Amino acid sequence: MKDFYVTIGLEVHCQLLTQAKMFCRCSTDYIGKEPNTLICPVCTGLPGALPVLNRRVLELAIRTALALRCEILPQVVFHRKNYFYPDLPKGYQISQYDFPIGVRGIVEFVSGGSKKRVRIKRVHVEEDAGKLIHEGPSLPWNSSGVDFNRCGIPLVEIVTEPDLRSPEEARDYLIMLRSIVRYIGASDGNMEEGSLRCDANVSVSRDVETLGTKVEVKNMNSFRSVFRALQYEIDRQKALLEKELPILQETRHWDETRDITVAARGKEEAEDYRYFPDPDLLPFSIEPKDLEEIAKTIPELPLERKERFMVEYELPEGEAGVLVQEKEVADFFEECLKEFHKPRMLCNWMLTEVLKNLNELEINITESKISPSNLAELLKLVDKREISGTIAKGILEEMFKTGGRVKEIIARKGISFITNERELEKIVRETIEKNPQSVADYLSGKEKALHFLIGQVMKVTRGQADPELAKNLLLKELNSGE
Amino acid sequence: MGDLVSFRDFTIKDYHGRLQKGEFSVEELVKMFLERIERVDGLIHAFLSLDSERVEKRARELQEKKPQGELPPLWGIPIAIKDNICVKDLPTTCGSKMLHNFIAPYDATVMERLKAAGALIIGKTNMDEFAMGSSTENSAFGPTRNPLDLARVPGGSSGGSAAALSALEAPLALGSDTGGSVRQPAAFCGVVGLRPTYGRVSRYGLVSFASSLDQIGSMSRKVEDCITLFEVLSGSDDRDSTCAPYPPFSRREIPPEEEITRIKVGIPKEYFSSGVDRSIVKSIEEVFHLLRKRGIECVEVSLPHTECALEAYYIVAPAEASSNLARYDGVFYGLRSEGDTLQEMYSHTRTNGFGREVKRRIILGTYALSSGYYDEYYLKGMKVRTLVRKDFEEAFQTCQLLLTPVSPCFPFLLGERTMDPYQMYLADVFTIPSAMAGIPGISINCGYHDHLPIGLQILGKPFEEGWIFGLALLIEKLLSLPSPLPHLESRKGSEQ
Ligand SMILES: [Zn+2]
């Protein structure tokens, strides 16, 4: 069995988070809207309509390129990419060609426990196309429609060099990229809703010196499908190489339901897009002063933040990595720390209980009803042993649902915490009397029996005992009886 | 009520004087022009569509709300609009079968400005399909005839607008000039046509032919009206990125006559070569003579890249057109010819929708932009364009304005050049270089040979339309030629 060398490059399109489209003033808030309600002469390419650049697009694109550590080119030039398709009303897409916004960037990320880096070839902006609709109430039989609501929404395209070596690396790079574009507010990076789209170039070779035949894989709609499609494609190419069969340079589509890639139909000759500078949009230069202003708006990025969390809060790398993935979660964490300064304990609560509740409610942290000081208040009680962890979890759940303050919920639910040692001692003694078998088991060295006894105490007190205190009292009682 | 014939040499000022005195109402004025159109347009075919009912209604509304004191600059004045400029709720066909059913759902920026200035849109005028042509014979809806000689073409592509002015079917008109499409028909029809500096008038709502060259031009019967119209149309527009951030033109920018008579005028020798009709050269030399008598120095200059400008134009303009016209695909608006597949639908639609000349230029332009040919054609064309611009910059080092013929030839007979595209392209040889350079130019009548008019072109520095108007006013005064008024109703031919 000889070695195989896998080379992957990714082309990612992110919708930029602007209020208005790229070249007109139509709203970009198209999800769930009636087809063709967010359109105007400009974005539907009516005769005589002309594009005018939304400067916010440029700002977000530059921010993206800077966050990916690109060089920013001093000139902004738009080119027309000419081709015919019904979702492209002008017969060309306004894009960029030999003057992208940024070139030669770098993204660092962690994959398989080690730090990786991928070079960014270019970052450029272009307008999105419309959407073909093949079924709908207003469509006559056997016909298709076009919805132009999405047409003209600004996209940033981020192209890597072929530096990725495995599907895991590709997925982990994508997760980092999404995290970055969300951190800087450039895109919401939602793959399922199509605001982040990914195409891949994959090649497999038996010789480390030469690249294999490049195959383009499209139509991957989630991180999971990127991973699976790449894995499938690499296996397919390896199998062909083993049998010494040729690999065709082609475009293949990921078929989610069948779990395979399928060769795209139609002619495979390279299309000539006849790029030329758009005469409707004159080239202009970016002022160094403006560039500085934009650079100032870039926050601490996920990787730097993770490293800081590891040093400053002494968090393990894994936990810190998860904590910083979403800027809002990391912000919440740091906000909460101001009132409750136990980073390890807070981190554990964030990564287990808080994220669990968010997932169950299918919301993100900014949409939740809980504030950092609410959580701090709760954890303080736990920390002072005024309530048990179990109780606290229940209260947290309630806080996510109703958004009340901790004290209010405790009062409302009539939760009183048994902190009176003498009261608890009585219950412990009763428990020992009622469970002689467990006591015997414990004394003969079975640690598990102790947990059972703690459980019994908690059951009798309906969870209102401090388990730590119960354990200590149990141990004291059991050991004295020896 | 007056008789249109007595309005032959009227300007907007004269109409406003009569309207103020109550000699006729706005509605009556509009009706006079509509009646004139009804009587003569069957012979000329200057209009593709009229908006009679609405324009009369609007005229009544204007009259009812007549402002006290000074009138808005174009108040109550009818205007004809070239059919490639979008007027809300009116057809905008671009002279093409492709857009035969297209009703513009919005107003071009210039239309908003015209309406705000009180102008009345009387109808849309004929043109070469998508402004590609020099005779208006490329219209999918039949040619326009020259009112001064019905056997001849009115020039193009704004032939409908020029003919409408010449036949006194309208006192004002809009055209568009990509390589000479305002100036050449103005010359052929004996009227005035201005191509402004590129970027001085918003292109928003002008259907693109070649975006880096297209400009909306003011057309009129007298220089004075051309100035008024240009004042209304010009000025920056945040809907057109190529529109310069300059305030609207003001007639205060026109230097006084004493200053005009002290300037140096350049005569580019390449514009008086053997290819130019001798009668045209003679007529223009008479103008030089008159100017010299007034103390204006006329000196020979050279614009060495004049000839290659034409060739570069026929690469750059079709290249842009091939992309600009890609939107006519049968999907969203305009003509659709069905097919069994998407490709077939595209193919049928564009085969049926476009005429010969448009197809020729789309193919030419597609080729010039193709990979492997881009450097050799499009890029080279753009380089020539820079050289052409430098020619003018150099010439303007020594003189304030340039004087040239508009066209090397007289209006030709219908059908005379349709089979020979190169001969047709040559009709624009003197208007193309300045368009490529983006500088302003005006075409005014400077005489007749037999009954056929001769156009004189004045070219100026970018954004210095004031000087052009200054000299145009002086020449118009020195020549004191009457505006055209062909006797069309009696079909006796024509007279000036
Ligand atoms: Zn729009």
Side-chain angles (χ1 to χ4, degrees):
Chain A
M1 178 85 185
K2 292 181 212 153
D3 283 344
F4 289 104
Y5 301 93
V6 173
T7 306
I8 302 168
L10 296 183
E11 280 180 31
V12 172
H13 286 89
C14 297
Q15 280 181 358
L16 291 172
L17 279 173
T18 55
Q19 302 276 306
K21 291 186 182 179
M22 190 161 171
F23 296 110
C24 62
R25 289 166 191 173
C26 293
S27 165
T28 53
D29 187 18
Y30 72 97
I31 303 241
K33 296 284 179 344
E34 276 288 295
N36 298 314
T37 50
L38 305 174
I39 57 169
C40 74
V42 177
C43 56
T44 51
L46 287 194
L50 295 173
V52 174
L53 178 67
N54 174 355
R55 298 299 287 229
R56 180 80 181 147
V57 170
L58 200 63
E59 206 181 304
L60 292 182
I62 291 174
R63 212 189 272 181
T64 306
L66 286 174
L68 304 180
R69 288 151 64 183
C70 287
E71 286 168 40
I72 307 297
L73 297 189
Q75 277 265 306
V76 177
V77 185
F78 290 100
H79 273 68
R80 291 186 183 178
K81 180 180 180 179
N82 295 283
Y83 65 97
F84 286 97
Y85 204 65
D87 65 5
L88 192 70
K90 296 191 294 296
Y92 59 83
Q93 179 194 31
I94 304 177
S95 181
Q96 293 191 296
Y97 186 58
D98 47 6
F99 277 90
I101 295 292
V103 292
R104 288 186 288 276
I106 280 173
V107 172
E108 286 179 317
F109 60 101
V110 172
S111 185
S114 58
K115 204 163 173 176
K116 299 279 158 68
R117 56 165 40 197
V118 58
R119 289 169 301 153
I120 300 296
K121 190 175 179 181
R122 54 186 280 143
V123 172
H124 79 244
V125 286
E126 60 189 27
E127 53 179 351
D128 208 345
K131 219 173 185 171
L132 295 192
I133 303 171
H134 299 292
E135 51 197 44
S138 55
L139 278 177
W141 180 78
N142 201 15
S143 68
S144 296
V146 191
D147 175 10
F148 291 116
N149 283 352
R150 202 182 69 180
C151 200
I153 287 184
L155 300 176
V156 65
E157 182 176 322
I158 300 157
V159 184
T160 72
E161 296 285 359
D163 289 350
L164 300 161
R165 296 279 166 265
S166 66
E168 290 82 358
E169 278 188 29
R171 181 198 55 207
D172 294 338
Y173 157 74
L174 268 186
I175 290 172
M176 177 53 83
L177 183 66
R178 179 180 69 166
S179 183
I180 292 172
V181 295
R182 290 165 74 122
Y183 257 68
I184 60 176
S187 176
D188 65 20
N190 190 328
M191 265 196 109
E192 282 74 20
E193 284 179 359
S195 53
L196 188 150
R197 289 166 236 159
C198 175
D199 298 334
N201 287 308
V202 194
S203 71
V204 178
S205 162
R206 307 197 98 151
D207 171 11
V208 72
E209 297 292 321
T210 51
L211 285 176
T213 309
K214 194 170 80 178
V215 174
E216 196 179 7
V217 185
K218 290 178 175 256
N219 196 37
M220 300 169 288
N221 299 320
S222 64
F223 291 109
R224 187 178 157 274
S225 64
V226 170
F227 181 78
R228 294 175 64 84
L230 290 177
Q231 202 157 45
Y232 175 86
E233 187 53 28
I234 291 162
D235 289 343
R236 188 187 71 87
Q237 291 185 29
K238 279 182 184 171
L240 288 171
L241 288 175
E242 299 237 288
K243 290 183 212 145
E244 290 179 1
L245 291 169
I247 294 168
L248 296 178
Q249 182 166 344
E250 61 184 352
T251 299
R252 300 180 69 87
H253 288 262
W254 172 242
D255 185 331
E256 187 83 50
T257 51
R258 289 155 67 199
D259 253 6
I260 56 168
T261 64
V262 186
R265 279 170 297 157
K267 40 185 191 283
E268 273 311 307
E269 62 196 68
E271 202 164 347
D272 182 359
Y273 292 118
R274 306 193 310 282
Y275 280 100
F276 76 108
D278 192 332
D280 289 330
L281 295 157
L282 303 177
F284 61 93
S285 35
I286 301 173
E287 300 296 324
K289 179 173 60 68
D290 294 340
L291 209 55
E292 275 168 40
E293 284 302 311
I294 297 171
K296 276 185 212 157
T297 64
I298 296 179
E300 184 185 29
L301 295 174
L303 200 66
E304 304 157 25
R305 197 170 201 183
K306 183 184 87 176
E307 280 161 8
R308 181 169 63 81
F309 277 20
M310 286 164 64
V311 175
E312 207 175 314
Y313 306 135
E314 295 173 340
L315 298 179
E317 178 166 13
E319 273 95 326
V322 182
L323 205 53
V324 301
Q325 216 177 79
E326 299 271 338
K327 181 173 182 291
E328 291 73 18
V329 172
D331 287 347
F332 191 99
F333 171 79
E334 292 208 276
E335 202 53 43
C336 199
L337 265 188
K338 287 180 188 164
E339 293 173 44
F340 177 73
H341 201 88
K342 291 212 168 171
R344 285 296 287 267
M345 180 175 166
L346 175 58
C347 176
N348 289 340
W349 275 79
M350 289 285 299
L351 297 187
T352 53
E353 296 311 312
V354 174
L355 291 187
K356 191 185 86 191
N357 277 290
L358 291 174
N359 286 341
E360 272 166 18
L361 296 169
E362 290 181 344
I363 54 170
N364 62 46
I365 202 154
T366 49
E367 293 164 325
S368 80
K369 291 183 173 152
I370 182 167
S371 71
S373 40
N374 286 160
L375 183 63
E377 198 182 350
L378 180 71
L379 294 186
K380 274 186 217 162
L381 292 179
V382 178
D383 194 45
K384 282 190 274 178
R385 310 220 159 171
E386 286 182 24
I387 53 173
S388 70
T390 320
I391 297 273
K393 285 172 193 172
I395 294 172
L396 188 66
E397 215 171 288
E398 193 62 23
M399 282 158 76
F400 268 103
K401 277 185 199 134
T402 61
R405 293 177 57 98
V406 181
K407 294 268 160 65
E408 287 163 16
I409 293 169
I410 289 174
R412 190 164 69 228
K413 295 234 145 184
I415 297 165
S416 64
F417 203 47
I418 301 168
T419 49
N420 186 322
E421 237 184 275
R422 227 179 301 159
E423 199 181 326
L424 199 56
E425 260 171 22
K426 204 175 122 218
I427 296 165
V428 164
R429 251 179 262 124
E430 281 166 17
T431 308
I432 286 175
E433 276 164 28
K434 277 184 199 158
N435 299 282
Q437 186 56 47
S438 300
V439 174
D441 285 350
Y442 172 76
L443 293 176
S444 65
K446 287 181 183 164
E447 277 292 316
K448 265 190 186 167
L450 179 63
H451 292 252
F452 174 77
L453 291 169
I454 297 171
Q456 289 304 305
V457 174
M458 296 311 285
K459 200 172 157 191
V460 172
T461 58
R462 297 198 315 280
Q464 293 180 22
D466 177 351
E468 203 60 29
L469 184 61
K471 186 182 164 193
N472 289 338
L473 291 173
L474 269 169
L475 283 172
K476 202 171 109 191
E477 202 66 29
L478 288 166
N479 292 336
S480 72
E482 246 176 271
Chain B
M1 210 170 125
D3 174 9
L4 264 187
V5 176
S6 63
F7 298 168
R8 180 174 191 165
D9 287 304
F10 264 33
T11 62
I12 297 166
K13 213 178 278 169
D14 298 316
Y15 289 117
H16 275 179
R18 300 296 201 283
L19 286 166
Q20 286 283 37
K21 275 190 249 160
E23 282 185 25
F24 45 75
S25 68
V26 176
E27 199 186 347
E28 284 166 330
L29 180 65
V30 165
K31 272 193 177 146
M32 277 188 270
F33 281 104
L34 285 174
E35 277 163 21
R36 171 80 176 167
I37 292 167
E38 201 171 307
R39 280 203 305 279
V40 306
D41 207 53
L43 297 169
I44 303 166
H45 192 222
F47 284 89
L48 289 178
S49 59
L50 289 171
D51 196 24
S52 319
E53 262 173 54
R54 249 182 304 190
V55 78
E56 283 180 48
K57 184 169 160 270
R58 196 134 184 266
R60 279 193 296 278
E61 286 166 8
L62 271 185
Q63 190 69 49
E64 277 160 24
K65 292 179 199 150
K66 182 169 176 289
Q68 299 295 309
E70 209 186 323
L71 296 173
L74 300 177
W75 189 82
I77 306 296
I79 185 165
I81 309 295
K82 188 177 181 178
D83 210 21
N84 61 350
I85 299 170
C86 289
V87 184
K88 195 171 190 294
D89 301 330
L90 288 190
T92 299
T93 69
C94 295
S96 179
K97 200 174 149 190
M98 187 63 92
L99 292 177
H100 71 103
N101 56 356
F102 181 69
I103 308 287
Y106 73 101
D107 263 332
T109 297
V110 290
M111 296 321 301
E112 288 179 355
R113 290 182 184 172
L114 284 178
K115 286 175 181 176
L120 293 167
I121 289 81
I122 201 163
K124 305 292 295 283
T125 59
N126 200 7
M127 57 184 283
D128 286 302
E129 185 177 4
F130 287 105
M132 296 176 188
S134 310
S135 67
T136 316
E137 289 166 294
N138 294 338
S139 168
F141 309 107
T144 296
R145 288 169 184 272
N146 193 321
L148 303 174
D149 183 339
L150 294 175
R152 293 177 187 271
V153 301
S157 64
S158 312
S161 286
L165 289 171
S166 182
L168 199 53
E169 293 175 304
L172 288 177
L174 290 194
S176 72
D177 191 310
T178 304
S181 281
V182 158
R183 292 162 291 162
Q184 186 255 18
F188 276 19
C189 294
V191 297
V192 180
L194 171 79
R195 176 195 165 88
T197 309
Y198 183 79
R200 190 99 206 225
V201 175
S202 168
R203 293 189 294 118
Y204 187 78
L206 167 67
V207 179
S208 297
F209 156 19
S211 313
S212 72
L213 293 149
D214 297 342
Q215 271 293 287
I216 292 173
S218 318
M219 302 179 79
S220 61
R221 292 166 60 83
K222 294 281 179 205
V223 175
E224 169 60 32
D225 288 355
C226 189
I227 296 168
T228 309
L229 184 50
F230 185 52
E231 283 183 314
V232 171
L233 301 179
S234 55
S236 62
D237 179 17
D238 59 13
R239 285 177 294 187
D240 173 6
S241 322
T242 63
C243 195
Y246 280 53
F249 177 80
S250 157
R251 65 183 64 230
R252 286 191 302 273
E253 292 173 40
I254 303 171
E257 204 177 291
E258 317 88 78
E259 234 175 283
I260 298 287
T261 54
R262 283 199 295 268
I263 63 167
K264 203 189 262 184
V265 166
I267 301 162
K269 63 176 184 204
E270 291 80 5
Y271 286 61
F272 294 87
S273 62
S274 56
V276 188
D277 193 292
R278 286 299 98 186
S279 315
I280 292 174
V281 173
K282 202 169 144 262
S283 176
I284 288 175
E285 278 172 351
E286 277 164 27
V287 175
F288 297 153
H289 183 66
L290 282 174
L291 293 180
R292 284 194 181 103
K293 278 211 301 203
R294 288 301 305 268
I296 293 175
E297 202 183 333
C298 301
V299 293
E300 191 180 273
V301 294
S302 176
L303 300 167
H305 297 94
T306 299
E307 240 176 277
C308 41
L310 184 79
E311 281 158 39
Y313 173 86
Y314 278 101
I315 289 168
V316 174
E320 292 183 15
S322 71
S323 174
N324 282 332
L325 271 62
R327 68 188 63 196
Y328 309 111
D329 58 5
V331 174
F332 190 36
Y333 52 78
L335 179 85
R336 177 191 290 181
S337 301
E338 297 292 352
D340 288 339
T341 63
L342 182 64
Q343 286 305 319
E344 262 183 45
M345 190 272 279
Y346 283 153
S347 172
H348 293 171
T349 299
R350 291 169 68 83
T351 301
N352 297 333
F354 290 138
R356 269 185 90 82
E357 183 60 26
V358 171
K359 283 178 193 154
R360 180 165 20 238
R361 295 202 200 185
I362 290 174
I363 292 166
L364 211 61
T366 304
Y367 185 78
L369 290 177
S370 300
S371 77
Y373 297 95
Y374 180 88
D375 290 359
E376 203 178 327
Y377 291 101
Y378 183 76
L379 214 56
K380 202 175 253 179
M382 292 305 274
K383 281 179 188 160
V384 171
R385 196 169 175 180
T386 307
L387 294 175
V388 172
R389 195 176 289 132
K390 283 191 177 141
D391 272 4
F392 282 106
E393 277 167 15
E394 201 139 302
F396 286 128
Q397 295 282 318
T398 52
C399 42
Q400 186 66 45
L401 296 164
L402 298 174
L403 273 185
T404 82
V406 176
S407 164
C409 61
F410 285 101
F412 35 90
L413 296 167
L414 267 92
E416 194 182 321
R417 296 192 181 199
T418 43
M419 294 325 283
D420 187 350
Y422 193 69
Q423 278 302 307
M424 190 70 95
Y425 295 171
L426 277 179
D428 291 332
V429 65
F430 297 151
T431 48
I432 278 173
S434 50
M436 291 285 272
I439 62 169
I442 201 170
S443 167
I444 59 170
N445 180 249
C446 69
Y448 290 84
H449 179 68
D450 291 335
H451 58 290
L452 297 176
I454 296 163
L456 171 76
Q457 176 170 241
I458 310 171
L459 300 172
K461 299 175 195 172
F463 300 99
E464 292 195 359
E465 284 86 355
W467 285 96
I468 292 178
F469 283 134
L471 186 63
L473 284 169
L474 177 66
I475 293 171
E476 191 181 50
K477 193 174 91 179
L478 293 175
L479 293 171
S480 66
L481 293 160
S483 295
L485 188 68
H487 284 181
L488 291 159
E489 294 113 289
S490 54
R491 297 188 183 232
K492 269 184 208 157
S494 53
E495 65 175 56
Q496 303 90 46

